[in-house]
Amino acid sequence: MDAVAEVDFDFSPFLKRYKDGRIERLLRSPLVAASENPTANRGVATRDVVIDHSTGVSARLFLPSRAAMAASTRRLPLVVYIHGGSFCTESAFCRTYHRYATSLAASAGALVVSVEYRLAPEHPIPAAYDDAWSALKWVASLADPWLADYADPARTFLAGDSAGGNIAYHTAVRASRDGGVGVDIEGMVIVHPYFWGAERLPSEEVWDGAAVFPAYGVDWLWPFVTAGQASNDDPRLNPPDEEIASLKCRRILVAVAEKDTLRERGCRLLNRFHDYYARTGGGAATLVESEGEDHGFHLYSPLRATSRRLMSSIVHFINQPPAPELDDVLHWHACGGKKLDRTSATTTKPMILGVPRRPFMDVFDYGMEMKRHCGGSSSTTCMAHAMSKNRGRGKAASPKKNYGIFSGAVWPNKAYKRPAAAAALPGTHHVIKNMW
């Protein structure tokens, strides 16, 4: 039997699952070793720790040496970072996220804890949620000497991109609901966060053939990473208003990209936070939109002007004075030093790693890997082709509730139109774009 016939589920360009249970991850960034010598990593010392030996959950700590030297007078903001990768790829130890966390730590003068969580499909959701929760509890314990000596628990931020943004949000929900962590979440930073739903939003009804993730491709992700036990109407993808109201997070920054299929979901989530803060009279909600960019651009093109601006926005957000209590005045502000209700406590210039450029800014070889796996086609064409091959495949029926991934799901037959113009968002007067 040939290799193609042995494939059980093709989620290219991310991974393939074979009928024998083997998982082949197609796009992988090389792993990078940690080093406590800051000169080996642009002035940032790094160290790996095991958080839970029973599950293997671990983390990489990033300590900026200059900020650490001043920690006796001013302790460092603490950022718990959760990487993206569709819940099923990437690592806190890979080159992509090692370099991004290094830039974040150096630019913000923050101690960054990058969480290494278990990946689907070997460990379906909610494993990643549980691992992030374990990491936050470990951080709150200040058991690690770097945390005890340098971190300011009163300035703890949860951050993540894509799937990591979803995990960060639900970690904040759990901290607000369950308590007992011993640390208050000052703010959340979620970049191109993965939220979705069973019903299409206006911008999701169209696809220009160029976006990294077509809507019909996103439809397959959640059933896959939950082992077929949840569908796209899962509230973990579309948080209810009462859940947002339960959050004790004082500030939130949501970053979206103009061409990202997930953009409208991120904007709507931010608007809901803004409306809640407006009703209750407290909190700060910030939206940063990167014009002309698509999902995850800042990770693979860190030298672009838009990537630098996004980093500047995040650094500014982290280093603002602590937000008032939630019953104080609402602060709705822009980024980049314009139209601010309050001024930043820092003017630190972001440090962006000077990695070598490759064709089409493919600094981490993702595009070249994609071409090798997809025969020179675009990522979207590759995803569409791979997912169309999954039609009719599946395993024997399971007694558990199943939403299609493992029982030969029928491919969506909705006709996708090329957009004549960008769909208008409700409440777009709240959207703040990068203007530098």
Side-chain angles (χ1 to χ4, degrees), residues 10-147:
D10 192 337
F11 199 54
S12 297
F14 302 105
L15 59 76
K16 292 180 181 180
R17 186 188 60 199
Y18 292 86
K19 290 186 175 181
D20 61 4
R22 179 169 55 92
I23 302 297
E24 179 187 10
R25 288 183 166 84
L26 305 177
L27 295 184
R28 294 178 298 176
S29 178
L31 299 182
V32 176
S35 173
E36 294 192 34
N37 178 6
T39 61
N41 191 43
R42 309 300 178 94
V44 177
T46 58
R47 184 162 53 82
D48 296 337
V49 295
V50 177
I51 293 172
D52 187 335
H53 288 273
S54 65
T55 61
V57 178
S58 54
R60 177 163 292 181
L61 278 63
F62 296 77
L63 180 65
S65 57
R66 284 187 181 181
M69 287 188 291
S72 59
T73 57
R74 180 175 174 79
R75 284 179 168 256
L76 311 186
L78 178 57
V79 179
V80 179
Y81 193 86
I82 305 168
H83 70 81
S86 299
F87 301 96
C88 58
T89 63
E90 289 299 23
S91 165
F93 308 140
C94 74
R95 181 170 58 181
T96 302
Y97 284 101
H98 177 90
R99 289 183 171 178
Y100 181 75
T102 295
S103 289
L104 180 60
S107 300
L111 200 168
V112 176
V113 178
S114 186
V115 180
E116 177 75 350
Y117 57 89
R118 290 171 292 174
L119 300 177
E122 298 94 331
H123 304 282
I125 298 293
Y129 291 164
D130 294 338
D131 294 349
W133 177 243
S134 295
L136 181 62
K137 290 192 295 183
W138 175 82
V139 165
S141 73
L142 300 180
D144 185 89
W146 282 9
L147 295 172

Side-chain angles (χ1 to χ4, degrees), residues 9 11 216-224 387 390 405 409-412:
F9 184 76
F11 199 54
Y216 56 78
V218 180
D219 281 340
W220 286 82
L221 177 58
W222 193 246
F224 178 68
M387 292 191 173
N390 294 318
I405 282 294
V410 176
W411 186 252

Side-chain angles (χ1 to χ4, degrees), residues 20 49 118 121 132 154 201-202 206 238 271 348 422 435:
D20 61 4
V49 295
R118 290 171 292 174
L201 299 181
V206 296
N238 188 16
N271 281 340
T348 303
M435 294 178 289

